[in-house]
Amino acid sequence: MIKELVEKDKISKYLRSVLASGVFLAVTLLPIRSMSFTVCIFSLSKEFMFLLFLFLLFCLLLRYDLSHRIVKRGNNTVDLFFNIIVDNAYVSVAILSLLSVAASFLIFQFIFEGIPHVQDAIAQLFQVKIFSLGKLYVEPHPLKEFFSFLHIIDKGNKWYSLYPPVFPFLVMLGYVLHTPGIVNPLLGGITVLIVYKIGEVLFNRRVGIIAAILLVFSPFFYFMNASMMVHPLSLLLTSSFFFLFILADKKDNYKYFSFSGITLGLLFSSRPYDAFLIGMPILVYLVFNSFKYRNWKNLTFFIFSFFPSASIIFIYNYFTNGNIFNFGYYVWDPYYAKLGFILGHTPLRGLLFTLSRLRELNYYLFILPVPSLIFILIALIGRKIKENKYLLMMVFEIITVFVGFSFYHYYEICYGPRLIYSTLVFIVIISALGIERISHNFYWKKTKAIIIGLLCFFYFRINLPLYLEYYKHSYWGVNREVHEATKKNNIHNAVVFFNYHGARCIPHYKTREENLWGAAFMWNSPLLDSDVIFARDLGEHNKDLMNFYPHREFYICYYDCFIKKFVFRRIQRG
């Protein structure tokens, strides 16, 4: 009788796990939004590999351990090689970190042509140039309508980017050395080291190494590092904050709580909403423990250490926006940055955005012919998650960020679902735990090597080339063609009126016409004193700007769809 009840309980747990897995896979693969590129890179041999991983999931991990049925044949080549990597963990992680830096920087130079491509990054670069002048802002041009740009504030006598100051300040250090594109690859390389340490401290070296490998070979990671976006800094600070918190909690050391508070403050001064979402679960945990143990020391040091570094953005707000609580997002557009169900944003729309981000994460994270998030499922199914509070915290961190951004009315896929990029540290560590779980229970010598070989083949031979091809063609409508054409036509001491209307005939151009303006604007100095000044083509109003620069030559630049290149036509004053 007891034996039957035990067997029924096993079957019940198995069915519940199968049901949970089915729901998870349906939700994260649901085609809420169609994207031809992502569908393309995901479709090849998807069914075969997907069924194979489902077999491993339901048979190996859901209380059906095949190791009792398969004879162990000793270590295979894959295991021996991986054991060598683990035994020399610090050297291996250092190599992975350098590989990450090199790959990201090479992509920045040769795929992204050494320039920012997204309007956010171009606005950040504008602020970098202002900082390099030793200023927080500059005066806008009297005819500022010729130089207006997305995400750049030009109110009153101030012209500056709407974004917080920490990231532009770091990039400025690279800019003065004429290599601004090296900053994000370096931040990514440091992140790899921290992710390894988190995996090692929480679980073991194997998990740490696997997490570092997953991160380094994630195109979402190295393409974002190759951009000039703030998100790599957000990921580094999130990883550092969580690592310092783990050390503080394990050692019950107020110094580490202070360091973690400082790091969270820096994150707040870089991406305030990220810091709010990432810090909330940890703050709840600390408050709960303080009440439970009647000990407020750790919480006190954490909070008071947060404010000095968080005050950076408040001080910056005061000098730029006139009020410490007046953030640039709201100065630029009071409605754009608002959270909540406004501007037509509804709970259903927020839910669809969340499901879409999960789906895109499945595509962009590892570009394997299997759902990327399936490894998280493998790690968590059948595991008593409550017994590992740090694993539970990572799960809550992911949920908090996804839920938090469901209240934001804006949805966009740029290098991947970038708004939830800060969760990558938690995702790769839990995924590494799932892969380690598979490896621990899988003893087929040849099959393990075959599976890894197939995954590497699809990654390097099929999916990665498609990815590189996708990004190298004027990503986000921006490239160096305008700048190169200016040099080729030997144009100097000139104002170039840039006509970006009708730009959809440009090959591979798949974005708004307005975005193409960034390809010209990025070359302007904030003081508008460079050899060639790019301005918007405003038709009859151009004469106003021409009168402002009596000693310069003037050109109109436009894309000729017949000869398929940018053309410069000289114009005379009057």
mmCIF file of all heavy atoms in Angstrom, residues 24 273 277-278 280-281 354 358 376 380 385 391-407 420 423 426-427 430:
data_model
loop_
_atom_site.group_PDB
_atom_site.id
_atom_site.type_symbol
_atom_site.label_atom_id
_atom_site.label_comp_id
_atom_site.label_asym_id
_atom_site.label_seq_id
_atom_site.Cartn_x
_atom_site.Cartn_y
_atom_site.Cartn_z
ATOM 1 N N PHE A 24 5.626 26.622 -19.650
ATOM 2 C CA PHE A 24 6.807 27.480 -19.785
ATOM 3 C C PHE A 24 7.245 27.573 -21.241
ATOM 4 O O PHE A 24 7.481 28.669 -21.763
ATOM 5 C CB PHE A 24 7.941 26.922 -18.930
ATOM 6 C CG PHE A 24 9.234 27.693 -19.031
ATOM 7 C CD1 PHE A 24 9.457 28.790 -18.225
ATOM 8 C CD2 PHE A 24 10.221 27.320 -19.930
ATOM 9 C CE1 PHE A 24 10.638 29.512 -18.312
ATOM 10 C CE2 PHE A 24 11.403 28.026 -20.033
ATOM 11 C CZ PHE A 24 11.609 29.118 -19.205
ATOM 12 N N TYR A 273 15.873 53.156 -13.135
ATOM 13 C CA TYR A 273 14.805 52.156 -13.026
ATOM 14 C C TYR A 273 15.379 50.755 -12.884
ATOM 15 O O TYR A 273 14.832 49.921 -12.150
ATOM 16 C CB TYR A 273 13.885 52.247 -14.239
ATOM 17 C CG TYR A 273 12.569 51.520 -14.055
ATOM 18 C CD1 TYR A 273 11.818 51.677 -12.891
ATOM 19 C CD2 TYR A 273 12.063 50.680 -15.045
ATOM 20 C CE1 TYR A 273 10.605 51.015 -12.715
ATOM 21 C CE2 TYR A 273 10.864 50.026 -14.889
ATOM 22 C CZ TYR A 273 10.132 50.192 -13.719
ATOM 23 O OH TYR A 273 8.936 49.528 -13.554
ATOM 24 N N LEU A 277 14.512 48.189 -9.713
ATOM 25 C CA LEU A 277 14.015 46.817 -9.880
ATOM 26 C C LEU A 277 14.996 45.794 -9.321
ATOM 27 O O LEU A 277 14.590 44.831 -8.668
ATOM 28 C CB LEU A 277 13.747 46.541 -11.359
ATOM 29 C CG LEU A 277 12.656 47.393 -12.014
ATOM 30 C CD1 LEU A 277 12.562 47.092 -13.506
ATOM 31 C CD2 LEU A 277 11.307 47.164 -11.340
ATOM 32 N N ILE A 278 16.297 45.988 -9.577
ATOM 33 C CA ILE A 278 17.307 45.045 -9.101
ATOM 34 C C ILE A 278 17.439 45.128 -7.580
ATOM 35 O O ILE A 278 17.609 44.107 -6.888
ATOM 36 C CB ILE A 278 18.672 45.333 -9.767
ATOM 37 C CG1 ILE A 278 18.606 45.047 -11.277
ATOM 38 C CG2 ILE A 278 19.776 44.508 -9.119
ATOM 39 C CD1 ILE A 278 18.361 43.606 -11.635
ATOM 40 N N MET A 280 15.162 46.107 -5.313
ATOM 41 C CA MET A 280 13.962 45.879 -4.515
ATOM 42 C C MET A 280 13.939 44.512 -3.827
ATOM 43 O O MET A 280 13.681 44.433 -2.615
ATOM 44 C CB MET A 280 12.720 46.067 -5.395
ATOM 45 C CG MET A 280 11.404 46.020 -4.630
ATOM 46 S SD MET A 280 11.344 47.209 -3.266
ATOM 47 C CE MET A 280 11.489 48.752 -4.165
ATOM 48 N N PRO A 281 14.177 43.385 -4.537
ATOM 49 C CA PRO A 281 14.154 42.083 -3.842
ATOM 50 C C PRO A 281 15.186 42.001 -2.715
ATOM 51 O O PRO A 281 14.897 41.418 -1.659
ATOM 52 C CB PRO A 281 14.477 41.076 -4.959
ATOM 53 C CG PRO A 281 14.082 41.765 -6.214
ATOM 54 C CD PRO A 281 14.394 43.210 -5.982
ATOM 55 N N THR A 354 5.802 41.509 -22.210
ATOM 56 C CA THR A 354 6.604 40.584 -21.400
ATOM 57 C C THR A 354 6.793 39.257 -22.122
ATOM 58 O O THR A 354 7.903 38.707 -22.170
ATOM 59 C CB THR A 354 5.931 40.348 -20.040
ATOM 60 O OG1 THR A 354 5.804 41.600 -19.352
ATOM 61 C CG2 THR A 354 6.753 39.400 -19.177
ATOM 62 N N LEU A 358 10.320 37.519 -23.545
ATOM 63 C CA LEU A 358 10.723 36.140 -23.271
ATOM 64 C C LEU A 358 11.013 35.403 -24.574
ATOM 65 O O LEU A 358 12.003 34.672 -24.681
ATOM 66 C CB LEU A 358 9.623 35.414 -22.499
ATOM 67 C CG LEU A 358 9.496 35.754 -21.015
ATOM 68 C CD1 LEU A 358 8.193 35.184 -20.454
ATOM 69 C CD2 LEU A 358 10.680 35.215 -20.225
ATOM 70 N N ILE A 376 17.173 27.074 -18.136
ATOM 71 C CA ILE A 376 16.624 27.539 -16.861
ATOM 72 C C ILE A 376 15.572 26.562 -16.369
ATOM 73 O O ILE A 376 15.516 26.217 -15.180
ATOM 74 C CB ILE A 376 16.021 28.943 -17.021
ATOM 75 C CG1 ILE A 376 17.128 29.951 -17.294
ATOM 76 C CG2 ILE A 376 15.227 29.350 -15.786
ATOM 77 C CD1 ILE A 376 16.649 31.376 -17.454
ATOM 78 N N LEU A 380 15.576 24.308 -12.800
ATOM 79 C CA LEU A 380 14.608 24.545 -11.729
ATOM 80 C C LEU A 380 13.615 23.406 -11.519
ATOM 81 O O LEU A 380 13.148 23.193 -10.398
ATOM 82 C CB LEU A 380 13.829 25.842 -12.012
ATOM 83 C CG LEU A 380 14.659 27.127 -12.099
ATOM 84 C CD1 LEU A 380 13.765 28.316 -12.368
ATOM 85 C CD2 LEU A 380 15.459 27.332 -10.824
ATOM 86 N N ILE A 385 13.695 24.647 -4.735
ATOM 87 C CA ILE A 385 14.320 25.957 -4.884
ATOM 88 C C ILE A 385 14.371 26.726 -3.577
ATOM 89 O O ILE A 385 15.250 27.547 -3.359
ATOM 90 C CB ILE A 385 13.563 26.757 -5.970
ATOM 91 C CG1 ILE A 385 14.339 28.019 -6.321
ATOM 92 C CG2 ILE A 385 12.161 27.095 -5.538
ATOM 93 C CD1 ILE A 385 13.752 28.774 -7.490
ATOM 94 N N LEU A 391 19.482 31.132 -5.109
ATOM 95 C CA LEU A 391 18.838 30.740 -6.360
ATOM 96 C C LEU A 391 17.436 31.341 -6.435
ATOM 97 O O LEU A 391 17.012 31.845 -7.482
ATOM 98 C CB LEU A 391 18.778 29.214 -6.463
ATOM 99 C CG LEU A 391 18.105 28.632 -7.713
ATOM 100 C CD1 LEU A 391 18.811 29.109 -8.977
ATOM 101 C CD2 LEU A 391 18.091 27.108 -7.640
ATOM 102 N N LEU A 392 16.740 31.310 -5.324
ATOM 103 C CA LEU A 392 15.409 31.909 -5.251
ATOM 104 C C LEU A 392 15.483 33.414 -5.507
ATOM 105 O O LEU A 392 14.633 33.989 -6.207
ATOM 106 C CB LEU A 392 14.784 31.624 -3.883
ATOM 107 C CG LEU A 392 13.326 32.064 -3.680
ATOM 108 C CD1 LEU A 392 12.413 31.318 -4.640
ATOM 109 C CD2 LEU A 392 12.892 31.814 -2.239
ATOM 110 N N MET A 393 16.496 34.066 -4.960
ATOM 111 C CA MET A 393 16.664 35.510 -5.193
ATOM 112 C C MET A 393 16.884 35.801 -6.670
ATOM 113 O O MET A 393 16.331 36.772 -7.215
ATOM 114 C CB MET A 393 17.858 36.021 -4.387
ATOM 115 C CG MET A 393 17.594 36.211 -2.916
ATOM 116 S SD MET A 393 19.094 36.801 -2.084
ATOM 117 C CE MET A 393 18.579 36.677 -0.378
ATOM 118 N N MET A 394 17.710 34.989 -7.337
ATOM 119 C CA MET A 394 17.957 35.217 -8.755
ATOM 120 C C MET A 394 16.677 35.076 -9.564
ATOM 121 O O MET A 394 16.430 35.851 -10.500
ATOM 122 C CB MET A 394 19.036 34.254 -9.261
ATOM 123 C CG MET A 394 20.434 34.585 -8.749
ATOM 124 S SD MET A 394 21.755 33.698 -9.611
ATOM 125 C CE MET A 394 21.517 32.045 -8.958
ATOM 126 N N VAL A 395 15.864 34.092 -9.218
ATOM 127 C CA VAL A 395 14.578 33.923 -9.895
ATOM 128 C C VAL A 395 13.700 35.150 -9.672
ATOM 129 O O VAL A 395 13.077 35.673 -10.608
ATOM 130 C CB VAL A 395 13.869 32.650 -9.409
ATOM 131 C CG1 VAL A 395 12.444 32.570 -9.966
ATOM 132 C CG2 VAL A 395 14.656 31.407 -9.801
ATOM 133 N N PHE A 396 13.658 35.640 -8.434
ATOM 134 C CA PHE A 396 12.852 36.816 -8.133
ATOM 135 C C PHE A 396 13.402 38.066 -8.831
ATOM 136 O O PHE A 396 12.625 38.951 -9.224
ATOM 137 C CB PHE A 396 12.781 37.043 -6.624
ATOM 138 C CG PHE A 396 11.637 36.333 -5.970
ATOM 139 C CD1 PHE A 396 11.865 35.243 -5.132
ATOM 140 C CD2 PHE A 396 10.334 36.737 -6.184
ATOM 141 C CE1 PHE A 396 10.810 34.575 -4.532
ATOM 142 C CE2 PHE A 396 9.265 36.082 -5.595
ATOM 143 C CZ PHE A 396 9.502 34.992 -4.765
ATOM 144 N N GLU A 397 14.727 38.155 -8.961
ATOM 145 C CA GLU A 397 15.311 39.287 -9.681
ATOM 146 C C GLU A 397 14.820 39.308 -11.132
ATOM 147 O O GLU A 397 14.437 40.352 -11.672
ATOM 148 C CB GLU A 397 16.839 39.213 -9.645
ATOM 149 C CG GLU A 397 17.470 39.475 -8.292
ATOM 150 C CD GLU A 397 17.512 40.954 -7.935
ATOM 151 O OE1 GLU A 397 16.896 41.762 -8.647
ATOM 152 O OE2 GLU A 397 18.176 41.295 -6.944
ATOM 153 N N ILE A 398 14.849 38.145 -11.769
ATOM 154 C CA ILE A 398 14.392 38.054 -13.160
ATOM 155 C C ILE A 398 12.921 38.434 -13.269
ATOM 156 O O ILE A 398 12.524 39.236 -14.128
ATOM 157 C CB ILE A 398 14.626 36.629 -13.709
ATOM 158 C CG1 ILE A 398 16.128 36.317 -13.766
ATOM 159 C CG2 ILE A 398 14.001 36.482 -15.096
ATOM 160 C CD1 ILE A 398 16.445 34.874 -14.094
ATOM 161 N N ILE A 399 12.107 37.874 -12.380
ATOM 162 C CA ILE A 399 10.664 38.156 -12.410
ATOM 163 C C ILE A 399 10.404 39.637 -12.169
ATOM 164 O O ILE A 399 9.583 40.260 -12.855
ATOM 165 C CB ILE A 399 9.931 37.296 -11.361
ATOM 166 C CG1 ILE A 399 10.006 35.814 -11.743
ATOM 167 C CG2 ILE A 399 8.478 37.739 -11.222
ATOM 168 C CD1 ILE A 399 9.469 34.883 -10.679
ATOM 169 N N THR A 400 11.099 40.227 -11.195
ATOM 170 C CA THR A 400 10.892 41.635 -10.863
ATOM 171 C C THR A 400 11.196 42.540 -12.047
ATOM 172 O O THR A 400 10.436 43.474 -12.342
ATOM 173 C CB THR A 400 11.779 42.043 -9.667
ATOM 174 O OG1 THR A 400 11.469 41.212 -8.546
ATOM 175 C CG2 THR A 400 11.537 43.491 -9.281
ATOM 176 N N VAL A 401 12.295 42.274 -12.753
ATOM 177 C CA VAL A 401 12.659 43.114 -13.898
ATOM 178 C C VAL A 401 11.645 42.962 -15.029
ATOM 179 O O VAL A 401 11.202 43.962 -15.631
ATOM 180 C CB VAL A 401 14.080 42.777 -14.382
ATOM 181 C CG1 VAL A 401 14.389 43.508 -15.697
ATOM 182 C CG2 VAL A 401 15.112 43.150 -13.320
ATOM 183 N N PHE A 402 11.253 41.739 -15.325
ATOM 184 C CA PHE A 402 10.275 41.524 -16.394
ATOM 185 C C PHE A 402 8.939 42.172 -16.065
ATOM 186 O O PHE A 402 8.325 42.833 -16.903
ATOM 187 C CB PHE A 402 10.092 40.029 -16.649
ATOM 188 C CG PHE A 402 11.046 39.468 -17.663
ATOM 189 C CD1 PHE A 402 12.287 38.982 -17.276
ATOM 190 C CD2 PHE A 402 10.717 39.420 -19.001
ATOM 191 C CE1 PHE A 402 13.176 38.464 -18.196
ATOM 192 C CE2 PHE A 402 11.599 38.915 -19.946
ATOM 193 C CZ PHE A 402 12.830 38.434 -19.544
ATOM 194 N N VAL A 403 8.481 41.988 -14.831
ATOM 195 C CA VAL A 403 7.210 42.596 -14.421
ATOM 196 C C VAL A 403 7.338 44.121 -14.407
ATOM 197 O O VAL A 403 6.428 44.834 -14.841
ATOM 198 C CB VAL A 403 6.778 42.076 -13.030
ATOM 199 C CG1 VAL A 403 5.566 42.856 -12.508
ATOM 200 C CG2 VAL A 403 6.443 40.590 -13.102
ATOM 201 N N GLY A 404 8.477 44.619 -13.906
ATOM 202 C CA GLY A 404 8.678 46.062 -13.834
ATOM 203 C C GLY A 404 8.593 46.732 -15.189
ATOM 204 O O GLY A 404 7.969 47.798 -15.335
ATOM 205 N N PHE A 405 9.179 46.117 -16.211
ATOM 206 C CA PHE A 405 9.152 46.724 -17.535
ATOM 207 C C PHE A 405 7.846 46.473 -18.275
ATOM 208 O O PHE A 405 7.632 47.050 -19.349
ATOM 209 C CB PHE A 405 10.347 46.261 -18.368
ATOM 210 C CG PHE A 405 11.597 47.042 -18.091
ATOM 211 C CD1 PHE A 405 12.636 46.489 -17.351
ATOM 212 C CD2 PHE A 405 11.723 48.346 -18.537
ATOM 213 C CE1 PHE A 405 13.781 47.218 -17.073
ATOM 214 C CE2 PHE A 405 12.864 49.090 -18.270
ATOM 215 C CZ PHE A 405 13.899 48.521 -17.538
ATOM 216 N N SER A 406 6.985 45.646 -17.727
ATOM 217 C CA SER A 406 5.650 45.502 -18.323
ATOM 218 C C SER A 406 4.822 46.769 -18.115
ATOM 219 O O SER A 406 3.814 46.974 -18.793
ATOM 220 C CB SER A 406 4.923 44.288 -17.727
ATOM 221 O OG SER A 406 4.568 44.525 -16.372
ATOM 222 N N PHE A 407 5.244 47.620 -17.159
ATOM 223 C CA PHE A 407 4.545 48.885 -16.918
ATOM 224 C C PHE A 407 5.042 50.000 -17.837
ATOM 225 O O PHE A 407 4.534 51.117 -17.775
ATOM 226 C CB PHE A 407 4.734 49.323 -15.461
ATOM 227 C CG PHE A 407 4.014 48.455 -14.468
ATOM 228 C CD1 PHE A 407 4.661 47.386 -13.866
ATOM 229 C CD2 PHE A 407 2.693 48.690 -14.156
ATOM 230 C CE1 PHE A 407 4.005 46.579 -12.955
ATOM 231 C CE2 PHE A 407 2.018 47.891 -13.247
ATOM 232 C CZ PHE A 407 2.674 46.828 -12.648
ATOM 233 N N ILE A 420 15.723 44.366 -20.604
ATOM 234 C CA ILE A 420 15.902 43.384 -19.523
ATOM 235 C C ILE A 420 17.326 42.825 -19.538
ATOM 236 O O ILE A 420 17.590 41.762 -18.972
ATOM 237 C CB ILE A 420 14.854 42.254 -19.617
ATOM 238 C CG1 ILE A 420 14.778 41.632 -21.033
ATOM 239 C CG2 ILE A 420 13.481 42.785 -19.252
ATOM 240 C CD1 ILE A 420 15.736 40.550 -21.306
ATOM 241 N N THR A 423 19.310 41.434 -16.430
ATOM 242 C CA THR A 423 19.011 40.114 -15.854
ATOM 243 C C THR A 423 19.924 39.023 -16.421
ATOM 244 O O THR A 423 19.848 37.877 -15.978
ATOM 245 C CB THR A 423 17.550 39.708 -16.127
ATOM 246 O OG1 THR A 423 17.341 39.575 -17.546
ATOM 247 C CG2 THR A 423 16.584 40.739 -15.574
ATOM 248 N N PHE A 426 21.820 36.694 -14.022
ATOM 249 C CA PHE A 426 21.033 35.661 -13.347
ATOM 250 C C PHE A 426 20.642 34.556 -14.321
ATOM 251 O O PHE A 426 20.655 33.378 -13.968
ATOM 252 C CB PHE A 426 19.776 36.282 -12.730
ATOM 253 C CG PHE A 426 20.055 37.506 -11.913
ATOM 254 C CD1 PHE A 426 19.572 38.749 -12.292
ATOM 255 C CD2 PHE A 426 20.834 37.430 -10.773
ATOM 256 C CE1 PHE A 426 19.841 39.888 -11.551
ATOM 257 C CE2 PHE A 426 21.116 38.564 -10.006
ATOM 258 C CZ PHE A 426 20.613 39.791 -10.404
ATOM 259 N N ILE A 427 20.326 34.936 -15.549
ATOM 260 C CA ILE A 427 19.892 33.961 -16.546
ATOM 261 C C ILE A 427 21.011 32.997 -16.896
ATOM 262 O O ILE A 427 20.794 31.774 -16.960
ATOM 263 C CB ILE A 427 19.374 34.692 -17.801
ATOM 264 C CG1 ILE A 427 18.038 35.387 -17.483
ATOM 265 C CG2 ILE A 427 19.189 33.719 -18.956
ATOM 266 C CD1 ILE A 427 17.545 36.300 -18.584
ATOM 267 N N ILE A 430 21.793 30.556 -13.841
ATOM 268 C CA ILE A 430 20.784 29.494 -13.695
ATOM 269 C C ILE A 430 20.856 28.539 -14.879
ATOM 270 O O ILE A 430 20.717 27.317 -14.722
ATOM 271 C CB ILE A 430 19.383 30.102 -13.560
ATOM 272 C CG1 ILE A 430 19.298 31.001 -12.326
ATOM 273 C CG2 ILE A 430 18.332 28.990 -13.440
ATOM 274 C CD1 ILE A 430 17.983 31.721 -12.164
#
